[in-house]
Amino acid sequence: MFDILHRVGVKTSLDTVYTALATPEGVAGWWTTDSTGDSKAGGRIRFRFSEHGKDIGGFDMKIVELVPNASVVWEVVEGPGEWVGTKIRFTLKQEGDFAIVLFKHEGWREPVEFMYHCSTKWATFLLSLKSFGETGTGRPAPNDVKISNWH
Amino acid sequence: MFDILHRVGVKTSLDTVYTALATPEGVAGWWTTDSTGDSKAGGRIRFRFSEHGKDIGGFDMKIVELVPNASVVWEVVEGPGEWVGTKIRFTLKQEGDFAIVLFKHEGWREPVEFMYHCSTKWATFLLSLKSFGETGTGRPAPNDVKISNWH
C-alpha cells in the first residue's frame, strides 16, 4: 500500500480548522464548492467537481471518524477506481500560533501516475485550506489551482 | 521505504524544463537561489537555504543520472539525516503542449512528520518550477511559499 502525506500549518484556532474539515459547508470553502451531506460519523459526504459548468465527476465518502479538534477520517466509497477503498485522514494539533494539519491519503494499491497527480493537487487544496482558515477565502474547485494538462 | 510523488505539467518545451533541472543555474530559478556546482553525471550540486540572511542548512547532491529531455536523478550525500541516501528523480515527457514532470523523492526510511512537510514543500517548489518554465519567474528560496511554522 502507498500513501500521500502532507503537512500544513494554519495560523488560526484548531476549532476553525476542524469545522472546515468536519462539515460539508466547511469543505466547500477549500476543496470543492459542491460538497453536500452529513456532519456525523457513519454519515456520508458527496463531493462533486465541474468544469465550465459541466460535471466532471467526484467522490462519495463515508465519515469514519470525527474527533473534535483532533481528527477527521473519510473512506472513499464511490469515485475513480484507484480511490475506492482508500482513506483520507486529517490529524490536528496545536503548535504555537498554528493549527497543524497532518494529512494522509492512505491505501493506494499502486503508485500509478494518477497518484502522483493527486499528491500535488492535495497540496494545493491544503494550501487552499490554509488560506480559508487564515483569511476566510480558499480556492475550492472550480476555482482551484491548475497544475497540468490533467487539471 | 517510502516515497514522495508529484506530477506537474509545464506549458513549455521539454528542453526548457530539462535545463531548469540539469544545471545549478536552472535550479536556482525555482528551488533555491543558492544552487552551485556541476552539470554532469558523477558531479555534485550544493543547495543552500537562508532566512533573513542567515544560513539555515541545505543539501549536497551527487548527480546520478542526466538524460537530456528525459530524466535527472540526484542522490543526497549531505543534509538532514532523513534525507541522506534518498534519491530525487525527475522523469520528463511531452503530452500535447505540456512538458510533464513526474517527481519522486524515494527511499525515506520512515514516514516521519518531516516527510509530510517535505512532501508539501516539494509541491510548492514544483509549482515554482512550472511558473519558472512558463513565465521565467519562479519562487525559489528565500522567496518560497511558507506553508507552516516549519517554514
Side-chain angles (χ1 to χ4, degrees):
Chain A
M1 293 294 198
F2 302 87
D3 306 330
I4 294 168
L5 309 177
H6 287 296
R7 180 187 189 277
V8 295
V10 188
K11 211 166 188 172
T12 186
S13 68
L14 275 180
D15 192 56
T16 298
V17 175
Y18 178 74
T19 303
L21 297 170
T23 64
E25 297 74 18
V27 179
W30 61 271
W31 192 22
T32 175
T33 54
D34 191 352
S35 301
T36 52
D38 298 316
S39 302
K40 60 182 194 304
R44 295 227 181 175
I45 316 191
R46 182 180 160 88
F47 303 108
R48 284 296 175 278
F49 296 80
S50 61
E51 201 168 53
H52 311 306
K54 184 173 150 278
D55 184 87
I56 54 168
F59 313 98
D60 287 8
M61 310 276 190
K62 180 182 165 190
I63 304 169
V64 176
E65 188 177 295
L66 287 180
V67 181
N69 297 357
S71 69
V72 171
V73 183
W74 301 325
E75 181 179 343
V76 182
V77 291
E78 277 193 50
E82 298 92 336
W83 279 52
V84 174
T86 62
K87 284 186 184 164
I88 294 161
R89 183 180 303 272
F90 304 87
T91 305
L92 308 182
K93 59 177 177 176
Q94 190 81 39
E95 283 187 12
D97 291 343
F98 288 86
I100 303 296
V101 181
L102 296 177
F103 170 90
K104 189 175 184 186
H105 184 174
E106 64 188 38
W108 287 72
R109 288 173 291 276
E110 298 293 337
V112 292
E113 190 168 342
F114 186 45
M115 183 179 170
Y116 287 66
H117 167 76
C118 293
S119 175
T120 315
K121 279 300 280 196
W122 274 126
T124 67
F125 285 119
L126 290 163
L127 292 170
S128 166
L129 169 66
K130 176 176 168 64
S131 171
F132 180 55
E134 294 176 351
T135 71
T137 305
R139 289 201 52 182
N143 182 35
D144 50 327
V145 177
K146 302 302 185 283
I147 63 171
S148 73
N149 57 334
W150 280 4
H151 204 60
Chain B
M1 294 295 199
F2 302 87
D3 306 329
I4 294 168
L5 310 177
H6 287 295
R7 179 186 190 278
V8 294
V10 188
K11 211 165 187 174
T12 185
S13 68
L14 275 179
D15 193 57
T16 296
V17 175
Y18 179 74
T19 302
L21 298 170
T23 65
E25 297 76 16
V27 180
W30 63 271
W31 191 22
T32 176
T33 54
D34 190 352
S35 301
T36 52
D38 297 315
S39 304
K40 60 179 195 304
R44 295 227 182 177
I45 316 191
R46 183 180 159 89
F47 303 108
R48 284 297 175 277
F49 296 80
S50 61
E51 200 168 53
H52 310 305
K54 183 172 151 279
D55 185 88
I56 53 168
F59 312 98
D60 286 8
M61 310 274 190
K62 180 180 165 193
I63 304 170
V64 177
E65 188 177 296
L66 287 178
V67 182
N69 297 358
S71 68
V72 171
V73 183
W74 301 325
E75 181 178 345
V76 182
V77 291
E78 275 193 53
E82 298 92 335
W83 278 51
V84 173
T86 62
K87 285 186 182 163
I88 294 160
R89 183 181 301 273
F90 303 88
T91 305
L92 309 181
K93 61 177 176 176
Q94 190 81 40
E95 283 186 13
D97 290 344
F98 288 85
I100 302 297
V101 182
L102 296 178
F103 170 89
K104 190 176 184 184
H105 184 175
E106 63 188 38
W108 287 72
R109 289 174 288 277
E110 297 293 338
V112 292
E113 191 168 340
F114 186 45
M115 183 177 170
Y116 286 67
H117 169 77
C118 293
S119 176
T120 314
K121 279 301 279 197
W122 273 127
T124 68
F125 285 120
L126 289 164
L127 291 171
S128 167
L129 169 65
K130 176 176 168 63
S131 171
F132 181 56
E134 293 176 352
T135 70
T137 304
R139 289 203 51 182
N143 182 37
D144 51 329
V145 177
K146 302 305 184 280
I147 64 170
S148 74
N149 56 334
W150 281 4
H151 203 61

